[in-house]
Amino acid sequence: EQPGDIMPFGNTHNALKMNYSSEQEYPDLSKHNNHMAKVLTPDMYANLRDKETPSGFTLDDVIQTGVDNPGHPFIMTVGCVAGDEETYEVFKELLDPVIEDRHGGYKPSDKHKTDLNPENLQGGDDLDPNYVLSSRVRTGRSIRGFCLPPHCSRGERRAIENLSIESLDILDGDLKGKYYALKNMTEEEQQQLIDDHFLFDKPVSPLLLASGMARDWPDGRGIWHNDNKTFLVWVNEEDHLRVISMQKGGNMREVFTRFCTGLTKIEALFKERGHEFMWNEHLGYVLTCPSNLGTGLRAGVHVKLPNVSKHEKFGEILKRLRLQKRGTG
């Protein structure tokens, strides 16, 4: 297939827009608070608007979610997505400053280090189970040679699903598990996955919807988890793969060790099938949202703090500890 044959998405693939001047096409970002709006200028827009990646992803596709979602006066959203691996190169004039801003001064010349050796983790096996109810570590991974969820076609998405099923099926020992496709799951299976807090639903967040990543839902989406329910993979949600290690209690070292082992095995299995993960020296692992680039790792614990969480200084305590509050449950 030639790049020109790739299935378009959204309404931004509109060749007639080039009949209008850059000023006439430039988005109104006057009320916006996101990283994209902070960086994009009329000159930059004029310079980049006729460029596209080999799969046909354009500047308007990159910024659409940030145009449609101005952000919040106190919450700085990212405001842009990648449609394929090349997006970060073709539109780096916009994306490099966004990445630098979002990742605390990470320069275009910087090299990313990923360390997935659990031996190097310090501590983490002594979190008090009286307070820590559960621990989890997650990341995303993208498969090279396919468009990312904001831009992939139905055929690509199904191919990613099939590759994932083939690869994950080979895992054995405590990683042996089963795949559940969202579109033909029984009601019992669905309820069980909800009870286990494993199920992801059709995105309702306008940030995700505006970027095009919920198209054709639930086609090609699914959840794989091991029989022990401590290691799971979401397929074709916001990223090609979301890999999650979790368990009850506070042994973060165990969770992280399983995460590293499982992730390394999955990467090897995909390589055996001729597909490596998107990665480069500068960005590390390449994902849909610039905020998740690098190792793309988020570690979290569900903690029971009935008293301190009511304290007026709770926010300040978290800030000083460089922790983020992610809802209650």
Side-chain angles (χ1 to χ4, degrees):
E1 278 202 340
Q2 294 305 306
D5 300 334
I6 293 201
M7 190 188 91
F9 93 92
N11 63 355
T12 48
H13 290 261
N14 170 346
L16 295 183
K17 67 184 171 188
M18 297 315 283
N19 297 340
Y20 294 86
S21 71
S22 184
E23 290 75 33
Q24 287 168 316
E25 286 287 344
Y26 187 69
D28 176 1
L29 301 173
S30 56
K31 295 184 171 61
H32 288 55
N33 180 38
N34 59 49
H35 286 291
M36 176 279 293
K38 198 170 141 188
V39 171
L40 188 70
T41 63
D43 285 352
M44 188 189 292
Y45 185 82
N47 185 31
L48 295 176
R49 78 186 194 114
D50 61 347
K51 294 184 168 39
E52 54 177 57
T53 65
S55 77
F57 206 64
T58 67
L59 177 63
D60 279 326
D61 299 326
V62 173
I63 66 172
Q64 191 65 53
T65 181
V67 175
D68 292 348
N69 298 283
H72 188 278
F74 309 119
I75 302 167
M76 187 80 157
T77 50
V78 177
C80 50
V81 291
D84 50 29
E85 190 167 7
E86 295 83 2
T87 301
Y88 288 104
E89 183 57 36
V90 174
F91 303 106
K92 66 178 175 196
E93 187 184 346
L94 168 67
L95 294 172
D96 279 353
V98 166
I99 290 165
E100 190 168 333
D101 226 11
R102 180 64 179 71
H103 289 277
Y106 191 77
K107 299 269 185 291
S109 54
D110 287 344
K111 303 263 192 286
H112 181 79
K113 291 185 185 67
T114 289
D115 181 0
L116 289 178
N117 179 356
E119 301 296 313
N120 297 336
L121 183 69
Q122 294 170 11
D125 46 9
D126 51 0
L127 302 175
D128 189 338
N130 291 317
Y131 296 98
V132 178
L133 305 178
S134 63
S135 310
R136 58 175 281 184
V137 179
R138 69 96 167 132
T139 192
R141 290 291 181 263
S142 310
I143 302 156
R144 186 161 271 158
F146 293 96
C147 291
L148 296 168
H151 190 48
C152 66
S153 72
R154 287 183 283 271
E156 282 185 296
R157 202 183 292 113
R158 290 165 186 165
I160 290 163
E161 181 184 37
N162 290 334
L163 259 175
S164 304
I165 294 169
E166 279 173 27
S167 303
L168 294 166
D169 211 30
I170 295 169
L171 292 173
D172 53 14
D174 69 338
L175 293 178
K176 182 176 165 6
K178 182 179 173 190
Y179 181 75
Y180 301 86
L182 250 54
K183 68 176 180 186
N184 50 21
M185 200 180 276
T186 67
E187 275 189 23
E188 291 79 24
E189 285 170 344
Q190 187 173 357
Q191 194 52 53
Q192 188 60 57
L193 290 168
I194 290 170
D195 294 344
D196 291 329
H197 303 290
F198 286 1
L199 194 66
F200 62 88
D201 228 343
K202 181 171 183 174
V204 289
S205 160
L207 294 169
L208 299 180
L209 295 176
S211 64
M213 58 180 76
R215 290 165 301 120
D216 311 310
W217 197 274
D219 197 314
R221 277 78 171 194
I223 294 163
W224 175 95
H225 70 74
N226 68 343
D227 299 339
N228 299 345
K229 300 187 178 181
T230 53
F231 190 70
L232 58 151
V233 180
W234 290 356
V235 178
N236 286 323
E237 192 231 10
E238 186 184 332
D239 288 299
H240 290 162
L241 303 173
R242 275 279 164 99
V243 178
I244 305 158
S245 174
M246 62 201 268
Q247 68 191 47
K248 299 264 186 286
N251 196 331
M252 186 55 96
R253 176 177 286 279
E254 244 174 50
V255 175
F256 185 63
T257 303
R258 185 187 314 108
F259 173 82
C260 297
T261 312
L263 192 55
T264 307
K265 282 187 180 168
I266 291 171
E267 184 158 16
L269 288 167
F270 271 93
K271 273 195 177 142
E272 280 170 26
R273 276 155 195 68
H275 292 275
E276 52 191 356
F277 289 160
M278 294 183 192
W279 180 89
N280 64 60
E281 259 192 336
H282 166 52
L283 296 175
Y285 288 95
V286 172
L287 294 165
T288 301
C289 180
S291 65
N292 288 325
L293 293 164
T295 306
L297 186 148
R298 181 184 281 282
V301 282
H302 189 182
V303 190
K304 190 170 56 178
L305 296 171
N307 296 325
V308 75
S309 57
K310 294 185 187 126
H311 197 283
E312 60 186 45
K313 292 241 168 94
F314 185 49
E316 202 180 307
I317 294 167
L318 291 178
K319 198 171 175 179
R320 288 186 177 194
L321 292 169
R322 294 181 62 213
L323 295 171
Q324 214 179 9
K325 184 171 73 173
R326 303 275 292 190
T328 56

